[in-house]
Amino acid sequence: MTDASRKPRRRIMLAAGLGAMTGGATLAWRWGLFSAYPHGSPLRLDIGDLPEGRLRTVEWRGLPVWVMRRNAVEVAALAAHEAELADPESRQSLQPATCRNRQRSLRPDIFVAVGLCTHQGCTPALRADTFLCPCHASRYDLAGRVYRTGPATANLVIPAYHFETGRWLVLGLDA
Ligand code: FES
């Protein structure tokens, strides 16, 4: 067996093992998503002209990645509904350590996340102040934190990224 043919099998075994440890397929699916990160090049994005409230989707390493500029009211509102969330402190969710905060971001205004529901991978849509998944109605707030009301139990995945200046965002590398 070549190294190239061994790697996918090892990844599947890791995913299966992790799924068995946690007793669920959802985390195994998330591991598969997360393990895609080390491959490919970083992507530089000019966010200087991104208006407040606008969600931009870019494709990065085969994944839809959202970049959104939140306003001060939206950021302040994140503190108001934490009792309704499944993982308000992102203890069971995937993000860089630098983004494990209430806003789940490096900067309060700029939100970056993989735009795939952590239940089974559908694409949620922005509806006012939430992201609503059309498949089984999981709902996420504007920090990608999931509400208890749907089947998803983990927050949206936050990829590694950093800012080069006020207007350049680099996906794929931590600060
Ligand atoms: S895939 Fe989103 S709720 Fe099932």
Side-chain angles (χ1 to χ4, degrees):
M1 185 184 292
T2 65
D3 277 357
S5 62
R6 249 184 227 125
K7 277 182 188 163
R9 179 171 292 186
R10 207 175 87 205
R11 188 176 300 162
I12 290 166
M13 288 170 63
L14 277 171
L18 200 58
M21 275 182 346
T22 59
T26 302
L27 191 55
W29 174 82
R30 286 166 44 210
W31 174 262
L33 181 69
F34 202 60
S35 68
Y37 288 170
H39 309 289
S41 306
L43 178 65
R44 288 177 92 236
L45 299 171
D46 183 356
I47 58 164
D49 61 352
L50 184 66
E52 279 186 358
R54 179 69 58 83
L55 177 74
R56 180 181 297 167
T57 303
V58 297
E59 186 182 331
W60 175 69
R61 300 180 187 178
L63 301 170
V65 174
W66 294 340
V67 182
M68 180 179 181
R69 191 184 299 276
R70 299 172 293 203
N71 64 38
V73 173
E74 290 166 337
V75 171
L78 293 173
H81 54 260
E82 291 187 328
E84 303 168 49
L85 301 175
D87 186 17
E89 296 179 356
S90 298
R91 293 179 189 275
Q92 311 299 328
S93 303
L94 295 175
Q95 63 275 311
T98 47
C99 294
R100 214 188 123 212
N101 48 46
R102 175 171 284 148
Q103 298 84 22
R104 303 190 75 230
S105 57
L106 292 178
R107 271 172 41 182
D109 59 335
I110 301 296
F111 174 57
V112 180
V114 175
L116 295 174
C117 180
T118 60
H119 178 225
Q120 289 181 358
C122 292
T123 302
L126 180 59
R127 295 277 180 270
D129 59 351
T130 60
F131 299 106
L132 178 64
C133 183
C135 294
H136 314 97
S138 287
R139 231 165 31 102
Y140 302 83
D141 70 7
L142 293 186
R145 298 179 301 176
V146 69
Y147 285 86
R148 294 179 191 278
T149 49
T153 56
N155 299 333
L156 296 180
V157 173
I158 309 294
Y161 68 94
H162 69 276
F163 296 97
E164 282 190 349
T165 64
R167 68 179 298 144
W168 286 100
L169 186 153
V170 182
L171 277 177
L173 293 173
D174 279 322

